[in-house]
Amino acid sequence: MKNPFFILLYIFFIIIILPVLLTIGIYKDNIFKEEVVQNKKIESLNIKVYNSKEDKVETMNLEEYLYNVVASEMPATFNEEALKAQAIAARSYVFYKMENGGDKIPQHKGAVVCTDHNHCQEYLTIDQLKKAHGQDWMEKLWPKIKKAVDDTRGKVLVYEGKTIQPLYHSTSGGKTENSEEVFSAKLPYLRSVDSPYEQGSPKLVSNVKISKNDFVNKFKSNDIVISDNIKKDIKILSRTEGGSVKEIKVGNKVIRGRDVRKILNLNSSDFEIKVSDNYVNIITKGYGHGVGMSQWGANGMANKGYKYDEILKHYFKGVKIEKKY
C-alpha cells in the first residue's frame, strides 16, 4: 500500500502549489509583455508639431524632429560635442513642454511645440535646409547632425527629478545671465556663469552707429524725450551679474536695458553708449538674451576638449542627464 503521507503531499501540490506557480508565471509574463509594449511605444515616440508657416499640426517622430531643430539652431560645422549638447537641450525643451502643458498654449493649436523660432525652437524642413546650405552641405554635414542626435538618443536634462527649461542663446559676451534678470522666474539651474571660450563668435562684439536725430526719434516714438544734450541725458544706473544693463536713465525716464535693446534693435542688453559730434555709437557684447547655454561658448568648450555632459553641467547648474528611453 502506498504511503498516505506522499499521497496527501501530491494532492496538496496539485491543488495548491501548482496553481500558485502558474499564476505567478502568467503575472510575470504579463508584466514583461506590458514593459515590452511600453518600451516599444517610447522607442517610437511621436509628437505633435504646429507648422506655423503652413498653419497645420503635423505628427513627427521626436528624434527626426530633432535632426531638423539641431541643424537649424546650431552651425553644423561646430564640434560634435557642442552639437550633442544642443541635441540634449533641444530634446529637453520638448519634454519640458510635454510636461508643462505645451499643448494648451494657444499659439500651438493643440500641438506640444511649434516651428516659429520666436516662440519655440527653430525648425527648417529638409528642402529649406537644402536651399539654405546646398546639396554639398546635405551630403557632408547632415550625417554629422544626425549622429549627434542619435548618439544622445532619449537623453534630457533634469533638476530634482523634473525636466528643466533649457534656455540657450548664440553668444553671452563672456558671462551668462541669471534667469530673473531677463525673464520673470528665478530658476536654480539658470545661474550666471563665465563663458570664456567665445572668441570665434562673429557677434562677440558689435558696433551700431546711429545719427543723433535717429537716436532721439527712436526713443521719441516710445514716449521717451531726450534733449539735444544726449550725453547728459543718457546714464547707465546698474548692471546685472552677467554684465547687461539693468537700469538706464534715458531722457525723462528710467527704463530697463532690455527695453533699450528692443527700441534700438541691438544684439544684446550688454552695451555701452558713446556720443560723438554727429553720431551715437552703441557697442554691444554677445548676441541673444544671455540665459542658459551659450552656443558659441559650448563650441569653444568642445574645442578645448570638454565633453557634452561637461558643457551642459557648466551652463545649467546642478542638473543631471537622464535617459528617458
Side-chain angles (χ1 to χ4, degrees), residues 50-234:
Y50 172 61
N51 188 323
S52 55
K53 291 182 179 178
E54 298 185 16
D55 191 25
K56 66 178 182 180
V57 173
E58 300 177 34
T59 299
M60 300 184 188
N61 176 272
L62 174 55
E63 298 298 312
E64 291 177 4
Y65 161 81
L66 291 174
Y67 294 156
N68 296 69
V69 170
V70 175
S72 306
E73 286 283 1
M74 180 175 274
T77 53
F78 272 17
N79 190 295
E80 285 185 13
E81 295 301 312
L83 290 168
K84 290 177 186 178
Q86 180 66 58
I88 293 175
R91 188 181 295 105
S92 301
Y93 182 90
V94 176
F95 270 89
Y96 177 83
K97 289 296 182 184
M98 289 170 61
E99 295 166 10
N100 292 275
D103 58 343
K104 303 295 190 298
I105 298 172
Q107 294 94 322
H108 292 177
K109 299 190 176 182
V112 174
V113 292
C114 69
T115 60
D116 182 356
H117 72 277
N118 291 316
H119 192 258
C120 285
Q121 303 184 108
E122 182 75 70
Y123 178 94
L124 298 177
T125 65
I126 293 293
D127 288 339
Q128 289 169 331
L129 288 168
K130 283 181 181 178
K131 186 176 180 180
H133 302 295
Q135 186 61 37
D136 191 55
W137 182 95
M138 291 299 301
E139 292 174 2
K140 293 180 178 178
L141 294 177
W142 178 246
K144 181 181 176 183
I145 294 288
K146 292 179 69 176
K147 185 177 184 301
V149 175
D150 292 342
D151 286 351
T152 62
R153 184 179 180 85
K155 293 183 178 180
V156 300
L157 295 164
V158 298
Y159 181 87
E160 295 184 346
K162 295 182 180 180
T163 310
I164 72 165
Q165 187 175 6
L167 299 181
Y168 52 87
H169 57 281
S170 170
T171 311
S172 75
K175 196 169 186 179
T176 66
E177 297 287 344
N178 292 318
S179 60
E180 69 275 14
E181 300 283 12
V182 181
F183 306 104
S184 58
K186 181 179 180 179
L187 298 173
Y189 50 82
L190 293 177
R191 300 293 85 204
S192 176
V193 299
D194 290 333
S195 186
Y197 306 118
E198 299 180 337
Q199 291 82 0
S201 172
K203 294 182 179 178
L204 181 59
V205 179
S206 304
N207 183 23
V208 175
K209 190 175 183 180
I210 308 174
S211 71
K212 284 185 175 180
N213 284 339
D214 286 345
F215 184 84
V216 170
N217 288 333
K218 284 179 183 293
F219 284 99
K220 188 177 181 180
S221 63
N222 287 272
D223 298 321
I224 299 172
V225 179
I226 302 176
S227 70
D228 292 336
N229 192 342
I230 296 176
K231 189 177 291 187
K232 182 182 178 182
D233 269 10
I234 301 289

Side-chain angles (χ1 to χ4, degrees), residues 291-308:
V291 180
M293 184 179 75
S294 161
Q295 293 169 314
W296 278 91
N299 190 53
M301 287 186 69
N303 288 336
K304 290 288 183 180
Y306 291 92
K307 300 301 181 183
Y308 71 87

